[in-house]
Amino acid sequence: MTRGRLRVYLGAAPGVGKTYAMLSEARRARERGRDVVVGFVETHGRARTAELLEGLEIIPRRTMVHRGATFTELDVEAVIERAPKIALIDELAHTNVPGSANPKRWQDIDEILDAGIDVVSTVNIQHLESVNDVVQEITGVPQRETVPDEVVRRADQVELVDMSPEALRRRMSHGNVYAPEKLDAALANYFRVGNLTALRELALLWVAGKVDDQLDRYRAEHGIAGTWETRERVVVALTGGPEGDTLVRRAARIAARNKGADLIAVHVTSADGLAGGDPANLARQRTLVESMGGTYHQVVGDDIPRALLDFARGVNATQLVLGASRRGRLAQVFSRGVGVTTTALSGSIDVHMITHAEVARVGTRRSRSRAALTRRRRLAGWAMAVAGMPALTAALTPFAEGLALPSEILLFLLMVVGVALVGGMWPAVTAAVGGSLLLNWFFTPPSGEFTIYDPENFLALVVFVLVAAAVSVIVDIAARRTREAARAGAEAELLSALAGHVLRGQAAVPSLLARMRETFGLGSVTLLERVGEPSPDDRSEPGAWRIVATSGGPPATCPDAADTDVVIDDDLVLAARGRLTEAADRRVLEAFAAETAVALRQRRLEEEVNQAKPLAEVDRMRTALLAAVSHDLRSPLAAAKAAVESLGNTGIDWSERDRAELLDTAEESLDRLERLVVNLLDMSRLQAGVLGADLQPVLVEEVLPRAIDDLGPVRDHVEGEVPAGLPEVLADPALLERVLVNLMANAARYSPPGEQVLITASQYAGQVEIRVIDRGPGIPPEAHDRVFLPFQRLGDRDNHSGVGLGLALSRGLAEAMGGTLVPDETPGGGLTMVLTLPVATGAVST
């Protein structure tokens, strides 16, 4: 069965019109004859959105009861049984009610897609896992419901529903998003212009990244090597010379002229050693590039201009920055150089030749010997062998009578040595043989015949051939050794860069695979892991392997599907596609593979450590508990015991006043002990995840007075200003009361004499905020999270104030009810504890 297609409408904030756009598209699809049903759509009470639902077939929702409250959820089975062509399912990141088949709605949608049904859904940028923490920093509001980015990236279509911040605020002012009583709080908090602008930029950048991925896949699948100038990408080529700093800064300025442009630095390590650079310079320039928001890459290539252009086209670069040549004028006469050659082959990529201070010192630069035999040199050697020997013969023929044979042999030997130095062994051997024949024909009596009368002349020609061949072999061996040394140096430099890559904390598996793909110019690199037990023929069976990570185009699904594979161990194989790698590259490939395996194991160890952290935390809390409660359990027990023993002493005639005081002391001590034991039990239940919360619609204005009464003597220091008409919140009445008591008692304890603790409440964005405000010393912002750790009191050494469970327990109870508890600074000094609870489904302001 063909899997259905997923289309997602992505918005920057609530109210931009995602659901409206989804329903509008559904109505257009229905008019075109498509079978469309509504699986789950939430109108949030917006009349214009509700109007679009009219006439569309709606699948009844599934009703569920959880802790006494009734909820409705998407009925996955009913949608699959109905089998429409398109299903509309709102709120992709929604968390299902406990007891549902799947914990998240996106998992429900996966089942529907597997049934061959197309799905249209919606999501806001703040619900994407990768930007969730950024959104919280911007807005100050944590988002409990998130969806993995990969779920949205896998969607066949992602459409951005965009609206300027000013337009969205105007829409809210007209009552098209929230009810009037919620409007002021919403506009003053989450929907500030700055917040909306930042969220809009996040959404635009995320969608741009998604489009980039789609474009790269399309170009890879269709074999498109040309550059498509959809986005400015500036590549700067670094040689490792001192001019690199100038080039990086100039490239950064070029990139800065285009909003959103990428800065990419690349260093080509050539197998013939021509691109070797100072490692210290390269390290400094890499740091400079990364400090400017760019990325650094290193590739290996025999032909530097082609390697540069292959890399630039691979990253879809639009501009290439090169430094002006530091070679002397004579060298430029014999070879055009990297800059000129790159410019000639660049095609649609703009090449910038940047002058620098090093150009002025070209005369002091030592020339680098071209020891390795490139293709151009071999061709030049053959040309000298074929044309040089006849030319030398023609030049010497007029002087044949005046020159002795040894002189002519030496001149021919000099030519052979020149051919060997330029073209290597085989052109030189050819020149030696051809030279001996030319010497025999033109300069050895009798002339014009391949006959030698004088034995000494024959010996001289034989020695000439042997010497020429020996010189040719020696030159060729030296050239090969030079090439091998250069290649070894290039490999060492690459491995050094790999080691630095790991030491800088960049050992993530995808990063290593991407670096390997860039280095060797591969189409894709995939890390495969065996699923079951090894078998003789599982190398060609995709079902026997799973993809751990991949980089590049379509991945290899099994080792035999790759052009090159490196076996790491019995269960891990690195599979590369795109081209066959050379045998000489095997060592570096194996180094990459080994490092990738280490990174994978490191990642898994970190995951195991993270799984063990809760157990370590339990042990830490147990130790802290034993240390903290030793005094707090003894004190009330000792006081109660002393009071009871005094009352039981028949030898003392207690007055009524003394008896009443002793009874009050015993009662107060036992009450204190009871509160401590209850808090400890609840904290242990929270840690074990077994504390039950009976969630039901609750009015804050009904719970608050009971909580104030429970404060006892300090109730007179608390003042409540909760407006009437707040909607009901979804909470456990008893737990909510305990949270409020703890917060108000903590605020009253630290408030200066004569200062009242103020309780306020407001509503916005489907939530109710309860604020407990004091004018005490407050807490530094960097300690806001630490104040919620159990068994401590921040900056306080008073052992008579309790074990420090109040705020930790309050946050735990708030989260158990689906809410949050965060500290904030009170304007003018002090601490404000903000308790946020969700509005009960269907609750409206009165």
Side-chain angles (χ1 to χ4, degrees), residues 646-700:
S646 298
L647 288 171
N649 190 343
T650 57
I652 301 177
D653 186 15
W654 299 102
S655 66
E656 290 299 323
R657 180 178 177 182
D658 290 340
R659 185 179 296 276
E661 185 175 346
L662 288 172
L663 287 172
D664 288 342
T665 300
E667 182 179 7
E668 181 181 349
S669 298
L670 291 174
D671 286 343
R672 180 179 169 192
L673 181 61
E674 180 186 18
R675 287 195 300 270
L676 174 62
V677 172
V678 170
N679 280 346
L680 288 172
L681 288 174
D682 283 346
M683 199 67 201
S684 65
R685 291 191 187 103
L686 277 174
Q687 293 295 327
V690 296
L691 180 66
D694 182 16
L695 301 181
Q696 55 185 277
V698 178
L699 283 172
V700 176

CSV table of all heavy atoms in Angstrom, one decimal, residues 646-700:
chain,number,residue,atom,x,y,z
A,646,SER,N,5.3,16.3,80.9
A,646,SER,CA,5.0,17.3,82.0
A,646,SER,C,3.5,17.2,82.4
A,646,SER,O,3.2,17.3,83.6
A,646,SER,CB,5.3,18.7,81.4
A,646,SER,OG,6.6,18.8,81.1
A,647,LEU,N,2.6,17.0,81.5
A,647,LEU,CA,1.2,16.9,81.8
A,647,LEU,C,0.9,15.6,82.6
A,647,LEU,O,0.0,15.6,83.5
A,647,LEU,CB,0.3,16.9,80.6
A,647,LEU,CG,0.2,18.3,79.8
A,647,LEU,CD1,-0.5,18.1,78.5
A,647,LEU,CD2,-0.5,19.3,80.7
A,648,GLY,N,1.7,14.6,82.3
A,648,GLY,CA,1.5,13.3,83.0
A,648,GLY,C,2.2,13.3,84.4
A,648,GLY,O,2.0,12.3,85.1
A,649,ASN,N,2.9,14.3,84.7
A,649,ASN,CA,3.6,14.3,86.0
A,649,ASN,C,2.6,14.6,87.1
A,649,ASN,O,2.2,15.8,87.2
A,649,ASN,CB,4.8,15.2,86.0
A,649,ASN,CG,5.7,15.1,87.2
A,649,ASN,OD1,5.3,14.6,88.2
A,649,ASN,ND2,6.9,15.7,87.1
A,650,THR,N,2.3,13.7,87.9
A,650,THR,CA,1.3,13.9,89.0
A,650,THR,C,1.8,14.7,90.2
A,650,THR,O,1.1,15.2,91.0
A,650,THR,CB,0.7,12.6,89.5
A,650,THR,OG1,1.8,11.8,89.9
A,650,THR,CG2,0.0,11.8,88.4
A,651,GLY,N,3.1,14.8,90.2
A,651,GLY,CA,3.8,15.5,91.3
A,651,GLY,C,3.7,17.0,91.2
A,651,GLY,O,4.1,17.7,92.1
A,652,ILE,N,3.3,17.5,90.1
A,652,ILE,CA,3.2,18.9,89.8
A,652,ILE,C,1.7,19.3,89.7
A,652,ILE,O,1.0,18.7,88.9
A,652,ILE,CB,4.0,19.4,88.6
A,652,ILE,CG1,5.5,19.0,88.8
A,652,ILE,CG2,3.9,20.8,88.4
A,652,ILE,CD1,6.3,19.3,87.6
A,653,ASP,N,1.3,20.3,90.4
A,653,ASP,CA,0.0,20.8,90.3
A,653,ASP,C,0.0,22.0,89.2
A,653,ASP,O,0.3,23.1,89.6
A,653,ASP,CB,-0.5,21.3,91.6
A,653,ASP,CG,-2.0,21.7,91.5
A,653,ASP,OD1,-2.7,21.3,90.5
A,653,ASP,OD2,-2.5,22.4,92.5
A,654,TRP,N,-0.4,21.7,88.0
A,654,TRP,CA,-0.3,22.7,86.9
A,654,TRP,C,-1.6,23.5,87.0
A,654,TRP,O,-2.7,23.1,87.2
A,654,TRP,CB,-0.3,22.0,85.5
A,654,TRP,CG,0.9,21.1,85.3
A,654,TRP,CD1,1.0,19.8,85.3
A,654,TRP,CD2,2.2,21.6,85.0
A,654,TRP,NE1,2.2,19.3,85.1
A,654,TRP,CE2,3.0,20.5,84.9
A,654,TRP,CE3,2.8,22.9,84.8
A,654,TRP,CZ2,4.4,20.5,84.6
A,654,TRP,CZ3,4.2,22.9,84.5
A,654,TRP,CH2,5.0,21.8,84.4
A,655,SER,N,-1.3,24.8,86.7
A,655,SER,CA,-2.5,25.7,86.6
A,655,SER,C,-3.2,25.5,85.3
A,655,SER,O,-2.6,24.9,84.4
A,655,SER,CB,-2.0,27.2,86.8
A,655,SER,OG,-1.2,27.5,85.7
A,656,GLU,N,-4.4,26.0,85.2
A,656,GLU,CA,-5.1,25.8,83.9
A,656,GLU,C,-4.4,26.5,82.8
A,656,GLU,O,-4.3,26.0,81.7
A,656,GLU,CB,-6.5,26.4,84.1
A,656,GLU,CG,-7.5,25.6,85.0
A,656,GLU,CD,-7.7,24.2,84.4
A,656,GLU,OE1,-7.7,24.1,83.1
A,656,GLU,OE2,-7.7,23.3,85.2
A,657,ARG,N,-3.8,27.7,83.1
A,657,ARG,CA,-3.0,28.4,82.0
A,657,ARG,C,-1.8,27.6,81.6
A,657,ARG,O,-1.6,27.5,80.3
A,657,ARG,CB,-2.6,29.7,82.5
A,657,ARG,CG,-1.8,30.6,81.5
A,657,ARG,CD,-1.5,31.9,82.1
A,657,ARG,NE,-0.7,32.7,81.2
A,657,ARG,CZ,-0.2,33.9,81.4
A,657,ARG,NH1,-0.4,34.5,82.6
A,657,ARG,NH2,0.6,34.5,80.5
A,658,ASP,N,-1.1,27.0,82.6
A,658,ASP,CA,0.1,26.2,82.2
A,658,ASP,C,-0.3,25.0,81.4
A,658,ASP,O,0.4,24.5,80.5
A,658,ASP,CB,0.9,25.8,83.5
A,658,ASP,CG,1.6,27.0,84.1
A,658,ASP,OD1,1.7,28.0,83.4
A,658,ASP,OD2,1.9,27.0,85.3
A,659,ARG,N,-1.4,24.3,81.9
A,659,ARG,CA,-1.8,23.1,81.2
A,659,ARG,C,-2.2,23.4,79.8
A,659,ARG,O,-1.9,22.7,78.8
A,659,ARG,CB,-3.0,22.5,82.0
A,659,ARG,CG,-3.5,21.2,81.4
A,659,ARG,CD,-4.7,20.7,82.3
A,659,ARG,NE,-4.2,20.4,83.7
A,659,ARG,CZ,-3.7,19.3,84.1
A,659,ARG,NH1,-3.5,18.3,83.2
A,659,ARG,NH2,-3.3,19.1,85.3
A,660,ALA,N,-2.9,24.5,79.6
A,660,ALA,CA,-3.4,24.9,78.2
A,660,ALA,C,-2.1,25.2,77.3
A,660,ALA,O,-2.1,24.8,76.1
A,660,ALA,CB,-4.3,26.1,78.3
A,661,GLU,N,-1.1,25.8,77.9
A,661,GLU,CA,0.1,26.2,77.2
A,661,GLU,C,0.8,24.9,76.8
A,661,GLU,O,1.3,24.8,75.6
A,661,GLU,CB,1.0,27.1,78.0
A,661,GLU,CG,2.2,27.5,77.2
A,661,GLU,CD,3.1,28.5,78.0
A,661,GLU,OE1,2.6,29.1,79.0
A,661,GLU,OE2,4.2,28.8,77.6
A,662,LEU,N,0.9,23.9,77.7
A,662,LEU,CA,1.6,22.6,77.4
A,662,LEU,C,0.8,21.9,76.3
A,662,LEU,O,1.4,21.3,75.4
A,662,LEU,CB,1.7,21.8,78.6
A,662,LEU,CG,2.8,22.3,79.6
A,662,LEU,CD1,2.6,21.4,80.9
A,662,LEU,CD2,4.2,22.1,79.0
A,663,LEU,N,-0.5,21.9,76.4
A,663,LEU,CA,-1.3,21.3,75.3
A,663,LEU,C,-1.2,21.9,74.0
A,663,LEU,O,-1.1,21.2,72.9
A,663,LEU,CB,-2.8,21.3,75.7
A,663,LEU,CG,-3.2,20.3,76.9
A,663,LEU,CD1,-4.7,20.6,77.3
A,663,LEU,CD2,-3.1,18.9,76.4
A,664,ASP,N,-1.1,23.3,74.0
A,664,ASP,CA,-0.9,24.0,72.7
A,664,ASP,C,0.5,23.6,72.1
A,664,ASP,O,0.7,23.4,70.9
A,664,ASP,CB,-1.0,25.5,72.9
A,664,ASP,CG,-2.4,25.9,73.1
A,664,ASP,OD1,-3.3,25.2,72.8
A,664,ASP,OD2,-2.6,27.1,73.7
A,665,THR,N,1.5,23.5,73.0
A,665,THR,CA,2.9,23.2,72.5
A,665,THR,C,2.9,21.8,71.9
A,665,THR,O,3.4,21.5,70.9
A,665,THR,CB,3.9,23.2,73.7
A,665,THR,OG1,3.9,24.5,74.2
A,665,THR,CG2,5.3,22.8,73.2
A,666,ALA,N,2.2,20.8,72.6
A,666,ALA,CA,2.2,19.5,72.1
A,666,ALA,C,1.4,19.4,70.7
A,666,ALA,O,1.8,18.7,69.8
A,666,ALA,CB,1.5,18.5,73.1
A,667,GLU,N,0.3,20.1,70.7
A,667,GLU,CA,-0.5,20.1,69.4
A,667,GLU,C,0.3,20.8,68.3
A,667,GLU,O,0.3,20.3,67.2
A,667,GLU,CB,-1.8,20.9,69.7
A,667,GLU,CG,-2.7,20.9,68.5
A,667,GLU,CD,-4.1,21.6,68.7
A,667,GLU,OE1,-4.2,22.2,69.8
A,667,GLU,OE2,-4.9,21.6,67.8
A,668,GLU,N,0.9,21.9,68.6
A,668,GLU,CA,1.7,22.6,67.5
A,668,GLU,C,2.8,21.7,67.0
A,668,GLU,O,3.1,21.6,65.8
A,668,GLU,CB,2.2,23.9,68.1
A,668,GLU,CG,3.0,24.7,67.0
A,668,GLU,CD,3.5,26.0,67.6
A,668,GLU,OE1,3.1,26.4,68.7
A,668,GLU,OE2,4.4,26.6,66.9
A,669,SER,N,3.5,21.0,68.0
A,669,SER,CA,4.6,20.2,67.6
A,669,SER,C,4.2,19.0,66.8
A,669,SER,O,4.8,18.6,65.8
A,669,SER,CB,5.4,19.7,68.8
A,669,SER,OG,5.9,20.8,69.6
A,670,LEU,N,3.0,18.4,67.2
A,670,LEU,CA,2.5,17.3,66.4
A,670,LEU,C,2.0,17.7,65.0
A,670,LEU,O,2.1,17.0,64.0
A,670,LEU,CB,1.4,16.6,67.2
A,670,LEU,CG,1.9,15.8,68.5
A,670,LEU,CD1,0.7,15.3,69.3
A,670,LEU,CD2,2.8,14.7,68.1
A,671,ASP,N,1.4,18.9,65.0
A,671,ASP,CA,1.0,19.4,63.7
A,671,ASP,C,2.2,19.6,62.7
A,671,ASP,O,2.1,19.3,61.5
A,671,ASP,CB,0.2,20.7,63.8
A,671,ASP,CG,-1.2,20.5,64.4
A,671,ASP,OD1,-1.7,19.4,64.3
A,671,ASP,OD2,-1.8,21.5,64.9
A,672,ARG,N,3.2,20.2,63.3
A,672,ARG,CA,4.4,20.4,62.5
A,672,ARG,C,5.0,19.1,62.0
A,672,ARG,O,5.5,19.0,60.9
A,672,ARG,CB,5.5,21.2,63.4
A,672,ARG,CG,6.8,21.5,62.7
A,672,ARG,CD,7.7,22.2,63.7
A,672,ARG,NE,9.0,22.3,63.2
A,672,ARG,CZ,10.1,22.7,63.9
A,672,ARG,NH1,9.9,23.0,65.2
A,672,ARG,NH2,11.3,22.8,63.4
A,673,LEU,N,5.0,18.1,62.9
A,673,LEU,CA,5.5,16.8,62.6
A,673,LEU,C,4.6,16.2,61.5
A,673,LEU,O,5.1,15.5,60.5
A,673,LEU,CB,5.5,15.9,63.8
A,673,LEU,CG,6.1,14.4,63.6
A,673,LEU,CD1,7.5,14.5,63.1
A,673,LEU,CD2,6.0,13.6,64.9
A,674,GLU,N,3.3,16.4,61.6
A,674,GLU,CA,2.4,15.8,60.6
A,674,GLU,C,2.7,16.4,59.2
A,674,GLU,O,2.7,15.8,58.2
A,674,GLU,CB,1.0,16.0,61.0
A,674,GLU,CG,-0.1,15.5,60.0
A,674,GLU,CD,-1.5,15.8,60.4
A,674,GLU,OE1,-1.7,16.8,61.1
A,674,GLU,OE2,-2.4,15.2,59.8
A,675,ARG,N,2.8,17.8,59.2
A,675,ARG,CA,3.1,18.5,57.9
A,675,ARG,C,4.4,18.0,57.3
A,675,ARG,O,4.5,17.8,56.1
A,675,ARG,CB,3.2,20.0,58.1
A,675,ARG,CG,1.8,20.6,58.4
A,675,ARG,CD,1.9,22.2,58.2
A,675,ARG,NE,2.9,22.7,59.1
A,675,ARG,CZ,2.6,23.2,60.4
A,675,ARG,NH1,1.3,23.1,60.8
A,675,ARG,NH2,3.5,23.7,61.1
A,676,LEU,N,5.4,17.8,58.1
A,676,LEU,CA,6.7,17.3,57.6
A,676,LEU,C,6.6,15.9,57.0
A,676,LEU,O,7.0,15.6,55.9
A,676,LEU,CB,7.7,17.3,58.8
A,676,LEU,CG,9.1,16.7,58.4
A,676,LEU,CD1,9.8,17.4,57.3
A,676,LEU,CD2,10.0,16.6,59.7
A,677,VAL,N,5.9,15.0,57.7
A,677,VAL,CA,5.7,13.6,57.2
A,677,VAL,C,4.9,13.6,56.0
A,677,VAL,O,5.2,12.9,55.0
A,677,VAL,CB,5.0,12.8,58.3
A,677,VAL,CG1,4.6,11.4,57.7
A,677,VAL,CG2,6.0,12.6,59.5
A,678,VAL,N,3.8,14.4,55.9
A,678,VAL,CA,3.0,14.5,54.7
A,678,VAL,C,3.8,15.0,53.5
A,678,VAL,O,3.7,14.5,52.4
A,678,VAL,CB,1.7,15.4,54.9
A,678,VAL,CG1,1.0,15.6,53.6
A,678,VAL,CG2,0.8,14.7,55.9
A,679,ASN,N,4.6,16.1,53.7
A,679,ASN,CA,5.4,16.6,52.7
A,679,ASN,C,6.5,15.5,52.2
A,679,ASN,O,6.7,15.4,51.0
A,679,ASN,CB,6.2,17.8,53.1
A,679,ASN,CG,5.3,19.1,53.1
A,679,ASN,OD1,4.2,19.1,52.5
A,679,ASN,ND2,5.7,20.1,53.8
A,680,LEU,N,7.1,14.8,53.1
A,680,LEU,CA,8.0,13.8,52.8
A,680,LEU,C,7.4,12.7,52.0
A,680,LEU,O,7.9,12.2,51.0
A,680,LEU,CB,8.7,13.2,54.0
A,680,LEU,CG,9.7,14.1,54.7
A,680,LEU,CD1,10.1,13.5,56.0
A,680,LEU,CD2,10.9,14.4,53.9
A,681,LEU,N,6.2,12.3,52.4
A,681,LEU,CA,5.5,11.2,51.6
A,681,LEU,C,5.1,11.7,50.2
A,681,LEU,O,5.3,10.9,49.3
A,681,LEU,CB,4.2,10.8,52.4
A,681,LEU,CG,4.5,10.0,53.7
A,681,LEU,CD1,3.2,9.7,54.4
A,681,LEU,CD2,5.2,8.7,53.4
A,682,ASP,N,4.6,12.9,50.1
A,682,ASP,CA,4.2,13.4,48.8
A,682,ASP,C,5.4,13.6,47.9
A,682,ASP,O,5.4,13.3,46.7
A,682,ASP,CB,3.5,14.8,49.0
A,682,ASP,CG,2.0,14.6,49.4
A,682,ASP,OD1,1.6,13.4,49.4
A,682,ASP,OD2,1.4,15.6,49.9
A,683,MET,N,6.6,14.1,48.5
A,683,MET,CA,7.8,14.2,47.7
A,683,MET,C,8.2,12.9,47.2
A,683,MET,O,8.7,12.7,46.0
A,683,MET,CB,8.9,14.9,48.5
A,683,MET,CG,10.0,15.5,47.7
A,683,MET,SD,9.3,16.9,46.7
A,683,MET,CE,10.5,17.0,45.4
A,684,SER,N,8.2,11.8,48.1
A,684,SER,CA,8.6,10.5,47.6
A,684,SER,C,7.6,10.0,46.5
A,684,SER,O,8.1,9.3,45.6
A,684,SER,CB,8.6,9.5,48.8
A,684,SER,OG,7.3,9.3,49.3
A,685,ARG,N,6.3,10.3,46.6
A,685,ARG,CA,5.4,9.9,45.6
A,685,ARG,C,5.7,10.6,44.3
A,685,ARG,O,5.6,10.0,43.2
A,685,ARG,CB,4.0,10.1,46.0
A,685,ARG,CG,3.5,9.3,47.2
A,685,ARG,CD,2.0,9.4,47.4
A,685,ARG,NE,1.5,8.8,48.5
A,685,ARG,CZ,1.2,9.4,49.7
A,685,ARG,NH1,1.3,10.7,49.8
A,685,ARG,NH2,0.7,8.7,50.7
A,686,LEU,N,6.0,11.9,44.4
A,686,LEU,CA,6.4,12.6,43.2
A,686,LEU,C,7.6,12.0,42.5
A,686,LEU,O,7.7,11.8,41.3
A,686,LEU,CB,6.6,14.1,43.5
A,686,LEU,CG,5.4,15.0,43.6
A,686,LEU,CD1,5.9,16.4,44.1
A,686,LEU,CD2,4.7,15.1,42.3
A,687,GLN,N,8.6,11.7,43.3
A,687,GLN,CA,9.8,11.1,42.8
A,687,GLN,C,9.6,9.8,42.1
A,687,GLN,O,10.2,9.4,41.1
A,687,GLN,CB,10.9,11.0,43.9
A,687,GLN,CG,11.4,12.3,44.4
A,687,GLN,CD,12.2,13.1,43.3
A,687,GLN,OE1,12.8,12.5,42.5
A,687,GLN,NE2,12.1,14.4,43.4
A,688,ALA,N,8.6,9.0,42.7
A,688,ALA,CA,8.3,7.7,42.1
A,688,ALA,C,7.3,7.8,41.0
A,688,ALA,O,7.0,6.8,40.3
A,688,ALA,CB,7.8,6.8,43.2
A,689,GLY,N,6.7,8.9,40.8
A,689,GLY,CA,5.7,9.1,39.7
A,689,GLY,C,4.4,8.5,40.0
A,689,GLY,O,3.7,8.1,39.1
A,690,VAL,N,4.0,8.3,41.3
A,690,VAL,CA,2.8,7.6,41.7
A,690,VAL,C,1.8,8.6,42.4
A,690,VAL,O,0.8,8.1,42.9
A,690,VAL,CB,3.1,6.4,42.5
A,690,VAL,CG1,3.9,5.4,41.8
A,690,VAL,CG2,3.8,6.8,43.8
A,691,LEU,N,2.1,9.9,42.5
A,691,LEU,CA,1.2,10.8,43.1
A,691,LEU,C,0.1,11.1,42.1
A,691,LEU,O,0.2,11.6,41.1
A,691,LEU,CB,1.9,12.1,43.4
A,691,LEU,CG,1.0,13.2,44.1
A,691,LEU,CD1,0.6,12.7,45.5
A,691,LEU,CD2,1.8,14.5,44.3
A,692,GLY,N,-1.1,10.7,42.5
A,692,GLY,CA,-2.3,10.9,41.7
A,692,GLY,C,-2.9,12.3,41.8
A,692,GLY,O,-2.9,12.8,42.9
A,693,ALA,N,-3.3,12.8,40.7
A,693,ALA,CA,-4.0,14.1,40.7
A,693,ALA,C,-5.3,14.0,40.1
A,693,ALA,O,-5.5,13.5,39.0
A,693,ALA,CB,-3.1,15.1,39.9
A,694,ASP,N,-6.3,14.3,40.9
A,694,ASP,CA,-7.7,14.2,40.4
A,694,ASP,C,-8.1,15.5,39.7
A,694,ASP,O,-8.6,16.4,40.4
A,694,ASP,CB,-8.7,13.9,41.6
A,694,ASP,CG,-10.1,13.7,41.2
A,694,ASP,OD1,-10.3,13.5,40.0
A,694,ASP,OD2,-11.0,13.8,42.0
A,695,LEU,N,-7.8,15.6,38.4
A,695,LEU,CA,-8.0,16.8,37.7
A,695,LEU,C,-9.5,17.0,37.4
A,695,LEU,O,-10.2,16.1,36.9
A,695,LEU,CB,-7.2,16.8,36.4
A,695,LEU,CG,-5.7,16.6,36.5
A,695,LEU,CD1,-5.0,16.7,35.2
A,695,LEU,CD2,-5.1,17.7,37.4
A,696,GLN,N,-9.9,18.2,37.7
A,696,GLN,CA,-11.3,18.6,37.4
A,696,GLN,C,-11.4,20.1,37.3
A,696,GLN,O,-10.5,20.8,37.8
A,696,GLN,CB,-12.2,18.1,38.5
A,696,GLN,CG,-11.8,18.6,39.9
A,696,GLN,CD,-12.6,17.9,41.0
A,696,GLN,OE1,-13.7,18.4,41.3
A,696,GLN,NE2,-12.1,16.9,41.6
A,697,PRO,N,-12.5,20.7,36.7
A,697,PRO,CA,-12.6,22.1,36.6
A,697,PRO,C,-12.7,22.7,38.0
A,697,PRO,O,-13.5,22.3,38.8
A,697,PRO,CB,-13.9,22.3,35.8
A,697,PRO,CG,-14.1,21.0,35.0
A,697,PRO,CD,-13.5,19.9,35.9
A,698,VAL,N,-11.9,23.7,38.3
A,698,VAL,CA,-11.9,24.4,39.6
A,698,VAL,C,-11.8,25.9,39.4
A,698,VAL,O,-11.2,26.4,38.5
A,698,VAL,CB,-10.6,23.9,40.4
A,698,VAL,CG1,-10.5,24.6,41.7
A,698,VAL,CG2,-10.6,22.4,40.6
A,699,LEU,N,-12.6,26.6,40.3
A,699,LEU,CA,-12.5,28.1,40.3
A,699,LEU,C,-11.5,28.5,41.3
A,699,LEU,O,-11.5,28.1,42.4
A,699,LEU,CB,-13.9,28.6,40.6
A,699,LEU,CG,-15.0,28.6,39.5
A,699,LEU,CD1,-16.3,29.0,40.1
A,699,LEU,CD2,-14.6,29.5,38.4
A,700,VAL,N,-10.5,29.4,40.8
A,700,VAL,CA,-9.5,29.9,41.7
A,700,VAL,C,-10.1,30.7,42.8
A,700,VAL,O,-9.6,30.6,44.0
A,700,VAL,CB,-8.5,30.7,40.9
A,700,VAL,CG1,-7.4,31.3,41.8
A,700,VAL,CG2,-7.8,29.9,39.8
